[in-house]
Amino acid sequence: MIKNTYVKCALVLGAICVSSAVLIGGLNTVANIYKETHKSDKAPTQIQDLKPAGTFVEVTENLPQAVTMNSTKITFTSVWALMENGTPVGYAYEINCGKPVKTEVTFTVLFEGPAIAELPELVQPSAINVTVGGDSGYDSNVVKLADGLVAGTSTANDYSSVMSGGTKSQKFFIDGVQAARKDYASRINGQTDTVVQKTPLQDIYGDLYKAEAEDTSFTKLEATTDHCSYEITNRYLVTLTNNTTTVAYAGTVSFQDPEGETDVLKLTAAFSGDKSTVKLDGYKVTKDISWNDYKSWMDGVKAGTTSLEDENAVHTGSTLSTNAVRDMILGMRDAYVANYKSEVEKLFGDKYVSESADEFAAVTGTTDHCSYEITKRTSVVLTDGTGKAYEATVSFQDPEGETDVLKLMAAFSGDEGNAKLEGYKITKDISWNDYKKWMDGVKAGTTSMDDENAVKTGSTLSTNAVRDLLLAMRTNYYATFGE
Amino acid sequence: MDQKPSKARIFLDPLFKANPLFVMVLGTCPALAVTTSFESAIGMGLLFTFVVFCSNLIISLLRKVIPDEVRTPCYIVVIATFVTVVKILSSTFLPELYNSLGVFVSLLVVNCIVLGRAEAFASQNTVVDSMLDGLGNGIGYTWAIAAIALVREVVGAGTLTLGKVFTFIPKVTLPILSGYSGSDFSMAIPLFKSSAGGFLVLGFALAIIAAVNNYKDKKAKEKARAAKAAAAAAAKGGNQ
């Protein structure tokens, strides 16, 4: 039994505090998991309530600016497109009309159907949800006015429908409706850009973007650092218009902000380059926070003026968020490097150990079927020997008399006189591409490269051209044994 | 020597006879702030009940362990823990309730009823008695603020709205003093939704309860006086 009062007091109070922290920490974790697993794709309640069965998509570009009306300044908190078959058939607005006296007037309004851009006064709202009707005690008159506008018994063209009691709130509300319907009349007629739903990767790469595919084999990565806890949830393979492939990761990072609250930030970041030259191509924040000076640090990393490794570069106004984001970006970068495989490595698969580019003078040739140029050669160390990878271009006349150009990589291993095609990759394809069946046969060992009669596919011209190229590559491969 | 109250009295007294709001006039700040809406008041009452019940339970359990010198910090930590728990639970499962109550959920930490019951009751009584006391005070406070909110919402807005805070029930607005479709009829008095209206309703409630208590005291005194007179008369007759 402890007899010293001070020790006893400290122990009891400490034990209660620790128990409290454990309980709250555990509960908070469970609550966060619950929130994450019960995330709704629906619009916020105040918007969805306007049309419960409707599909709303938030408009993120060309948002209306705050506008000063007769009695107040109207701010558009958010704009949502009501979608049907992929096109907007209406718009919902979340509006803040400011404070008539002490309490703000805020409401959401939905407009549907066609409108004449020059005559917004003809636009009638199909639903209004007054979220805050101004000062308590007079707010019910704003609700009545809203009901009247929807029913068509009141008008928002002027202040003639304003009832006694809370007149200022009602005037603010009418200003809000007028501002919203004016924007609607323009927006529904395409006078501002309609909703274009872009993926974060489209935003990152812009015109360079061609396609993306999620890597479904990716397993979520979680970590806790001194600054944050983060999880990298998705991995995407991005194909660009120049046919290069980059990799992007999406993740969520949580950290304590200066006010002691837990801030949650979501972003997607895209990387390119090989293991030693990996660079951040860009990023898209999908859930932002108010302490967002971290973006200036990210922009520096993207531009190459700030080193991702330099922890002293985190000297922005939002050190906590920047440190947290840096930790997650480092996690993404490490995942990129760990998963990175060069094109040559992909050709050789599990046998690959290392590679080095050869000093190589381009080899050109012309045959009965084509002309080709072998531009690059790479020496590869394999688990069971060595190999060579080639890059080349081959041109030939297609059945329509056009010149087709095909670019490919091919990998060889094996001894002199006994070469094996380990793999190939087409970097620029053509429409007559049955030659791939022949190449697959060579790769599998079921078709001999030397057997010209094996070229019996539907694309004889292209297959003969590719065969001539591969034979030239193999010849060069055999020649390396004598070097 | 004081006789220990029965378990039924411990539970029932805070409901009416020693109601924390109407009789003890405690916890008036949230009682005025969150009673503009009936649903918000019910929600506040439920959260309050959870906090006072759980803190009474834990403090009673630890009453022999907690040194007297640090009892107040210990009580505050226990209460703050349960307030944080209700904050997390309400923001996760009932975000509309959490948003409607705003800062008043956090302010439960310094609610004088919760701390008062911990200090005056839970620290000196058994676990079961403390639980009953917490439950009684919670329910007593809940019905009191719900009654004020009912009056304020119905008289102030003319209607009673349900389903706005407790989103798991269908949203419905009941027309009572106004809000009848196709009619401009309204007997609503907006003043009752304002802060002044809150004071008025609470004041009327306290006045009515004081009048009832005065009437009961008067009756009890008259009864006692009559009994005393009857006893004196009986004694006088005996002497003759």
Side-chain angles (χ1 to χ4, degrees):
Chain A
M1 193 71 188
I2 300 160
K3 288 190 178 164
N4 185 306
T5 309
Y6 294 109
V7 174
K8 193 178 172 189
C9 288
L11 282 177
V12 170
L13 193 52
I16 291 174
C17 288
V18 169
S19 310
S20 166
V22 170
L23 174 67
I24 291 168
L27 192 64
N28 199 37
T29 307
V30 173
N32 283 338
I33 292 168
Y34 177 87
K35 281 179 188 168
E36 198 61 33
T37 51
H38 288 77
K39 263 192 306 190
S40 172
D41 288 335
K42 288 201 160 190
T45 316
Q46 68 272 23
I47 296 293
Q48 197 66 53
D49 278 354
L50 294 168
K51 191 164 189 174
T55 304
F56 290 93
V57 175
E58 186 166 15
V59 178
T60 54
E61 291 179 354
N62 296 305
L63 292 170
Q65 300 295 309
V67 55
T68 302
M69 305 295 284
N70 287 333
S71 298
T72 184
K73 186 179 178 184
I74 301 300
T75 308
F76 295 86
T77 310
S78 65
V79 183
W80 298 76
L82 175 65
M83 305 298 280
E84 258 181 39
N85 301 321
T87 53
V89 294
Y91 285 95
Y93 296 82
E94 190 176 9
I95 286 176
N96 188 321
C97 308
K99 290 180 185 174
V101 184
K102 289 180 184 171
T103 312
E104 291 174 333
V105 173
T106 57
F107 69 97
T108 52
V109 56
L110 173 67
F111 301 101
E112 290 176 86
I116 302 168
E118 295 75 22
L119 292 172
E121 54 270 28
L122 297 181
V123 176
Q124 191 181 334
S126 51
I128 297 178
N129 180 10
V130 179
T131 41
V132 184
D135 293 294
S136 177
Y138 300 104
D139 47 358
S140 55
N141 280 351
V142 175
V143 177
K144 271 188 207 163
L145 181 57
D147 292 343
L149 290 177
V150 174
T153 54
S154 299
T155 173
N157 294 340
D158 49 37
Y159 295 143
S160 60
S161 295
V162 170
M163 290 164 266
S164 174
T167 52
K168 206 172 174 188
S169 299
Q170 293 174 66
K171 286 178 180 175
F172 276 37
F173 171 72
I174 285 176
D175 279 3
V177 173
Q178 284 179 356
R181 72 185 185 183
K182 190 176 177 195
D183 182 82
Y184 176 75
S186 303
R187 193 171 289 273
I188 199 70
N189 285 299
Q191 291 183 2
T192 51
D193 284 357
T194 48
V195 185
V196 180
Q197 274 187 288
K198 284 184 180 173
T199 68
L201 293 165
Q202 279 176 301
D203 272 328
I204 291 171
Y205 284 109
D207 293 341
L208 271 176
Y209 176 93
K210 187 176 178 186
E212 67 185 83
E214 183 168 359
D215 178 1
T216 50
S217 65
F218 178 70
T219 311
K220 188 166 75 173
L221 300 170
E222 292 176 285
T224 300
T225 69
D226 291 344
H227 310 110
C228 66
S229 61
Y230 67 79
E231 57 179 19
I232 301 168
T233 48
N234 307 79
R235 182 172 188 266
Y236 301 94
L237 303 174
V238 192
T239 309
L240 304 182
T241 48
N242 59 8
N243 280 330
T244 56
T245 304
T246 66
V247 178
Y249 292 91
T252 303
V253 59
S254 314
F255 61 96
Q256 295 280 315
D257 71 15
E259 289 159 357
E261 298 288 322
T262 300
D263 277 359
V264 178
L265 175 75
K266 293 184 179 182
L267 61 80
T268 300
F271 298 87
S272 64
D274 60 30
K275 288 181 181 183
S276 57
T277 62
V278 54
K279 77 177 272 289
L280 177 72
D281 281 350
Y283 67 96
K284 172 74 180 176
V285 178
T286 49
K287 185 177 187 296
D288 207 354
I289 52 170
S290 51
W291 302 89
N292 61 9
D293 274 359
Y294 67 87
K295 287 178 184 169
S296 56
W297 175 83
M298 292 279 282
D299 291 337
V301 175
K302 183 183 157 189
T305 54
T306 303
S307 165
L308 188 53
E309 307 294 342
D310 181 8
E311 61 183 24
N312 295 320
V314 185
H315 283 314
T316 70
S318 311
T319 315
L320 293 178
S321 61
T322 312
N323 269 320
V325 170
R326 177 171 172 267
D327 287 353
M328 184 166 77
I329 295 290
L330 280 169
M332 289 175 169
R333 196 271 315 265
D334 291 347
Y336 176 84
V337 169
N339 285 290
Y340 178 82
K341 281 184 180 170
S342 69
E343 293 302 331
V344 172
E345 185 176 358
K346 286 178 197 167
L347 292 178
F348 285 100
D350 294 339
K351 294 163 98 176
Y352 175 94
V353 177
S354 66
E355 68 181 72
S356 61
D358 288 351
E359 278 185 28
F360 181 70
V363 176
T364 54
T366 303
T367 68
D368 292 344
H369 307 110
C370 67
S371 61
Y372 60 79
E373 182 180 20
I374 304 170
T375 53
K376 188 179 175 186
R377 189 179 73 195
T378 306
S379 292
V380 186
V381 177
L382 304 173
T383 52
D384 57 356
T386 57
K388 299 278 181 194
Y390 294 91
E391 286 182 37
T393 303
V394 59
S395 313
F396 62 95
Q397 294 282 313
D398 71 14
E400 289 161 354
E402 299 289 321
T403 301
D404 278 357
V405 178
L406 181 67
K407 289 184 180 178
L408 60 79
M409 293 176 71
F412 293 89
S413 68
D415 304 328
E416 189 176 4
N418 191 27
K420 179 180 183 310
L421 179 68
E422 291 283 353
Y424 69 92
K425 187 193 176 198
I426 310 300
T427 50
K428 185 175 185 300
D429 206 356
I430 53 171
S431 54
W432 302 90
N433 61 10
D434 275 356
Y435 67 87
K436 289 177 186 171
K437 290 178 189 167
W438 175 84
M439 289 191 81
D440 288 336
V442 175
K443 185 182 164 190
T446 54
T447 302
S448 166
M449 207 187 298
D450 298 309
D451 181 7
E452 62 184 22
N453 294 320
V455 183
K456 287 177 183 170
T457 68
S459 307
T460 317
L461 292 178
S462 62
T463 311
N464 271 319
V466 169
R467 177 172 171 266
D468 288 353
L469 173 66
L470 286 191
L471 286 171
M473 285 177 174
R474 191 182 64 174
T475 303
N476 183 276
Y477 177 67
Y478 287 152
T480 61
F481 286 95
E483 289 174 359
Chain B
M1 189 181 164
D2 286 345
Q3 198 183 349
K4 199 184 172 196
S6 67
K7 294 205 178 340
R9 287 256 62 84
I10 291 171
F11 176 68
L12 291 173
D13 275 357
L15 297 187
F16 306 103
K17 200 175 166 186
N19 187 283
L21 181 62
F22 287 148
V23 180
M24 318 290 273
V25 199
L26 296 172
T28 50
C29 185
L32 293 171
V34 302
T35 52
T36 50
S37 146
F38 178 66
E39 275 194 314
S40 297
I42 293 279
M44 181 69 180
L46 292 176
L47 301 188
F48 174 85
T49 305
F50 179 85
V51 172
V52 75
F53 175 82
C54 293
S55 56
N56 263 16
L57 165 66
I58 298 298
I59 288 165
S60 176
L61 268 173
L62 300 176
R63 69 186 187 282
K64 290 175 184 166
V65 181
I66 297 173
D68 209 34
E69 292 83 354
V70 288
R71 70 181 193 284
T72 306
C74 289
Y75 299 164
I76 293 282
V77 172
V78 171
I79 293 165
T81 302
F82 288 110
V83 170
T84 311
V85 167
V86 294
K87 215 175 147 183
I88 293 170
L89 292 177
S90 59
S91 66
T92 305
F93 299 105
L94 289 168
E96 285 78 10
L97 173 65
Y98 178 74
N99 292 333
S100 77
L101 297 179
V103 74
F104 290 97
V105 180
S106 303
L107 285 176
L108 279 175
V109 177
V110 289
N111 188 294
C112 48
I113 304 171
V114 185
L115 195 56
R117 296 325 295 168
E119 174 74 25
F121 197 93
S123 62
Q124 295 159 23
N125 288 280
T126 63
V127 174
V128 176
D129 286 356
S130 298
M131 286 161 65
L132 288 171
D133 179 74
L135 201 59
N137 274 284
I139 296 172
Y141 188 72
T142 302
W143 85 255
I145 59 172
I148 293 175
L150 188 63
V151 173
R152 288 184 70 188
E153 187 172 353
V154 169
V155 179
T159 55
L160 180 65
T161 304
L162 301 172
K164 195 173 177 182
V165 170
F166 296 115
T167 48
F168 51 83
I169 59 172
K171 191 176 174 184
V172 59
T173 299
L174 304 170
I176 300 172
L177 299 179
S178 69
Y180 293 95
S181 60
S183 167
D184 279 342
F185 169 80
S186 175
M187 283 178 65
I189 307 168
L191 173 73
F192 277 81
K193 285 194 85 180
S194 67
S195 309
F199 277 107
L200 275 176
V201 176
L202 182 60
F204 278 126
L206 292 176
I208 291 166
I209 288 161
V212 170
N213 285 341
N214 285 343
Y215 177 77
K216 277 184 176 174
D217 284 350
K218 197 176 164 187
K219 281 284 174 194
K221 278 178 187 168
E222 278 175 8
K223 204 173 167 185
R225 204 178 297 133
K228 200 176 172 184
K236 198 175 177 184
N239 289 338
Q240 285 170 350

